[in-house]
Amino acid sequence: MRITASAISLTVEDVQASADFFTHHFGFRTEMEADGFVSLGRDDAPGIVLLRRGIEVLPEDIRHRSAQGVIVVFTVEDLAEEEARLRAEGVEITLPLREEPWGERLFMVADPNGVPVELVEWVTPSGGDGSTGGATADAPADVPTGATTGGDGAPAGGSTADGAASAG
């Protein structure tokens, strides 16, 4: 199998509100749209597809579900700068900036439909000797490559190596 692109598809109540949030605050662009559907893209991240809850293109058994239990994750280079920028743009910070012992720095916001968005950067863990205990700049040793974790240290959101989460 050769994968040529990837995207996360989120089912939400208000497609336009989520589309506006991701284009305005995260630099996505609208690539396609129709009634109840918007496809967003960036050159450096997987796409985001937004579908209106109840839309008939979805299988009947899932068309009324909304994006719950999913965390959209973006790995960034200057987390503090991004946090300050989003705060200045009026975005509510739902989980304040914090650093985990394994070297993950993160904070969270939510889109207008309540979809959690985590911004993360990896730093050398504070442990005194500078060792990462097998961790890399991309992920700590006890977390699967490409995954990020929730506040309890468990993998969260099934994020991909390039920073986007998947439903799981």
Side-chain angles (χ1 to χ4, degrees):
M1 170 173 58
R2 181 176 179 277
I3 297 174
T4 60
S6 62
I8 180 171
S9 182
L10 304 169
T11 305
V12 297
E13 291 292 330
D14 186 341
V15 168
Q16 195 59 54
S18 286
D20 291 347
F21 181 82
F22 284 104
T23 57
H24 180 76
H25 298 296
F26 293 101
F28 281 83
R29 66 185 171 277
T30 300
E31 295 186 336
M32 292 181 278
E33 63 184 310
D35 183 37
F37 161 82
V38 174
S39 177
L40 303 173
R42 279 184 59 118
D43 293 337
D44 59 353
I48 296 175
V49 175
L50 301 163
L51 297 169
R52 183 181 60 238
R53 194 171 70 81
I55 196 165
E56 291 186 9
V57 299
L58 291 172
E60 190 172 338
D61 62 330
I62 66 168
R63 74 176 54 142
H64 294 286
R65 294 183 193 171
S66 60
Q68 295 180 354
V70 173
I71 301 172
V72 177
V73 180
F74 299 122
T75 302
V76 299
E77 291 181 349
D78 190 339
L79 191 68
E81 181 179 304
E82 293 301 324
E83 191 264 353
R85 177 187 64 81
L86 288 167
R87 196 177 291 279
E89 291 175 1
V91 176
E92 178 186 356
I93 307 301
T94 58
L95 179 68
L97 184 64
R98 61 196 254 177
E99 185 172 327
E100 301 296 353
W102 52 84
E104 178 185 28
R105 293 185 71 221
L106 65 111
F107 72 92
M108 293 178 79
V109 300
D111 91 333
N113 285 290
V115 175
V117 179
E118 178 179 302
L119 279 79
V120 63
E121 73 179 343
W122 296 99
V123 297
T124 302
S126 50
D129 65 358
S131 72
T132 61
T136 68
D138 295 325
D142 62 341
V143 177
T145 300
T148 190
T149 61
D152 62 356
S159 64
T160 64
D162 48 13
S166 61

